[in-house]
Amino acid sequence: RGSCHPSPPWSLEMLNSPTVVWLTSAAREASYRLSRLLPEANDGIRPDADVWILGQEFSAPSSSPGSEAEVARCVRACHWFTYRQGFAAIPGTMLTSDAGWGCMMRSGQMILATALVRLQHSRLREGSAGDAAGGDGGSVAGGSGVELPDEAEAAIVRLFADCVEAQFSLTHIALQGAEHGIPVGKWMGPASIAQVLAQLAARGRAGAACSRVSADAPPADSRRNGVAAHSPATAATDELNASATTAAEASPSPGGVAPGLRILVAMDGVIYRDEVESAAQPSRGEWEPLLLLVPLRLGLDKFSPAYALTVLGLMRLPQCVGVIGGRPRSSYYFLGTQADRILFLDPHEVQPALNLAQPHLPSCHFTRGVRTMRLCDIDPSLAFGFLLTSRACLDDFCDRTLAVGAGGGLPAFSVAGARPEYERQSVSLQREGGE
């Protein structure tokens, strides 16, 4: 007997067809472009409260006439990575835009760019009293007052260009996520993007080391942390890594490898000092700058107010380079605080693909004011970023986190000297490169 409910004129295969996927992507791009025509939300900074941006304090605008302009300048200086369209299709898909699904990946790019810019400023200060830091139109790290020449900024931005030669391109991020079960075109969480960035950082460094030894050497990380090297996602990533290595060898300013920065992901809400030191001092050599990413869930279905004071305190630490967070299913890059509100950069805007050879630097800076949201409205899943440049910096960070924890809020994470022996065989900290 026939069913009284006729079958729909479409099937799951049709919904996943390349044409439907392309049309869906195009519709998302159009919706985000149309949103630019709407009035800007009235959610800027307040005049009656101090502002903190990436560890630096600014007086309340009402008490300091130039404070609001200084805050806006520091926000504009931070790198703003958004949805892009028109890049080469991600291997195995027809996707030429990340509109509607790449916001968490773009937030991850922003926190990493902030760490790289801060490192570059430190090197400029150490290498020159000021001559090397000049140049018109350069980038200013949040509150540092030191400009990067356009060439130095472009070298950092190229790492995030929308092409296969860039180490932290959206293509590489999406394919690395696919190796861990996140289909290309699907949204990532804060913990996932943190782990992907760490793995890409390690893979780029390993690839650079291999290319120095032998141009014919196979990829050092061909097993992909336990994922078979012949899987479709891994095969596509291998091909892209080969392209990136070739470009790095051929170009004096490649988009290939981020120099001098390691990434460690501290899972389960615990930071173990010995593992931080081991990651920053491989083979017990000199300390290498380390970006420590700490994914957390501060609440069940919504952010718990018990963590509010702690989150605000941690974002004011000098080591903090921001937070990957947002609202449910909508990621932002949090870079500052004011009273009970958080300053953020919003990646939900579609721009043309970022070119490697000549990156359009103005498109990487938000110039339309400062946006904030209430802390109580954020999603409970987020990831803190801390830049640790020396052992003394680590010591200071640990002391400051203890002080924040004593400030009345519920601790967001803990710091321990070493992982308990019973955990060492069964639980591993997700490090750059994996083991």
Side-chain angles (χ1 to χ4, degrees):
R1 296 175 57 184
S3 171
C4 60
H5 299 289
S7 299
W10 44 264
S11 65
L12 183 60
E13 290 76 13
M14 291 177 60
L15 290 179
N16 291 327
S17 69
T19 301
V20 172
V21 170
W22 181 86
L23 288 173
T24 302
S25 178
R28 287 171 176 167
E29 291 177 24
S31 67
Y32 285 112
R33 289 184 180 278
L34 288 173
S35 68
R36 286 288 308 274
L37 303 178
L38 299 176
E40 290 286 341
N42 184 22
D43 54 4
I45 62 173
R46 293 162 38 182
D48 59 347
D50 293 348
V51 178
W52 289 80
I53 299 178
L54 299 176
Q56 180 165 349
E57 184 178 15
F58 298 86
S59 300
S62 60
S63 62
S64 178
S67 179
E68 186 169 2
E70 188 69 9
V71 167
R73 182 182 71 87
C74 289
V75 172
R76 285 196 304 270
C78 295
H79 284 95
W80 175 53
F81 295 128
T82 71
Y83 291 150
R84 299 278 177 166
Q85 59 89 24
F87 49 76
I90 298 174
T93 77
M94 292 185 65
L95 294 171
T96 59
S97 171
D98 61 312
W101 56 271
C103 56
M104 183 65 72
M105 303 179 191
R106 300 301 184 178
S107 296
Q109 289 178 328
M110 284 189 264
I111 200 170
L112 178 54
T114 296
L116 291 171
V117 168
R118 184 172 290 186
L119 278 180
Q120 185 65 12
H121 276 83
S122 176
R123 290 165 181 154
L124 287 176
R125 287 194 299 268
E126 293 174 358
S128 172
D131 292 342
D136 294 332
S139 172
V140 181
S144 71
V146 180
E147 293 188 351
L148 280 182
D150 284 346
E151 296 81 4
E153 183 189 2
I156 292 174
V157 170
R158 286 191 183 101
L159 294 167
F160 307 95
D162 295 300
C163 63
V164 298
E165 294 84 2
Q167 182 183 4
F168 299 105
S169 67
L170 181 117
T171 295
H172 280 296
I173 292 173
L175 288 175
Q176 185 68 31
E179 293 187 15
H180 295 275
I182 303 173
V184 176
K186 298 299 182 181
W187 195 81
M188 281 188 181
S192 297
I193 186 61
Q195 293 173 349
V196 164
L197 291 176
Q199 291 160 2
L200 290 178
R203 190 167 295 177
R205 188 170 56 255
C210 285
S211 66
R212 287 194 297 270
V213 175
S214 171
D216 297 325
D221 192 18
S222 61
R223 286 187 299 272
R224 306 301 184 211
N225 297 317
V227 179
H230 60 270
S231 68
T234 302
T237 306
D238 287 339
E239 180 181 351
L240 296 185
N241 284 340
S243 300
T245 300
T246 300
E249 294 172 352
S251 172
S253 56
V257 179
L261 180 65
R262 293 176 174 268
I263 302 178
L264 180 70
V265 184
M267 298 298 292
D268 304 320
V270 185
I271 298 171
Y272 295 104
R273 278 196 58 131
D274 65 331
E275 294 178 341
V276 173
E277 294 168 357
S278 176
Q281 293 180 289
S283 302
R284 299 195 176 184
E286 293 186 3
W287 187 283
E288 297 184 25
L290 177 75
L291 174 60
L292 177 63
L293 296 175
V294 189
L296 300 166
R297 186 167 185 86
L298 305 181
L300 296 177
D301 57 339
K302 61 182 180 179
F303 178 77
S304 172
Y307 293 104
L309 291 178
T310 301
V311 169
L312 295 173
L314 291 173
M315 291 190 68
R316 294 170 182 173
L317 298 184
Q319 294 86 3
C320 185
V321 290
V323 178
I324 304 170
R327 291 188 173 96
R329 307 297 296 180
S330 184
S331 177
Y332 303 136
Y333 169 49
F334 298 143
L335 72 161
T337 68
Q338 186 188 38
D340 60 348
R341 302 184 71 86
I342 291 188
L343 284 65
F344 67 93
L345 289 175
D346 184 354
H348 299 88
E349 183 170 316
V350 181
Q351 300 190 82
L354 189 62
N355 183 269
L356 175 67
Q358 295 181 323
H360 188 236
L361 299 182
S363 72
C364 300
H365 297 278
F366 187 75
T367 61
R368 300 196 302 273
V370 180
R371 297 193 61 188
T372 71
M373 63 181 292
R374 297 189 307 169
L375 177 60
C376 62
D377 291 334
I378 70 173
D379 189 270
S381 292
L382 47 81
F384 277 89
F386 303 103
L387 182 61
L388 307 175
T389 56
S390 66
R391 184 179 294 273
C393 184
L394 171 62
D395 293 338
D396 182 72
F397 167 72
C398 292
D399 291 342
R400 290 177 183 269
T401 55
L402 288 175
V404 169
L410 200 62
F413 55 79
S414 60
V415 179
R419 187 182 296 274
E421 184 64 31
Y422 67 85
E423 287 188 6
R424 295 187 182 184
Q425 299 300 321
S426 60
V427 180
S428 64
L429 191 66
Q430 180 61 53
R431 293 182 179 179
E432 49 167 343
E435 293 183 359

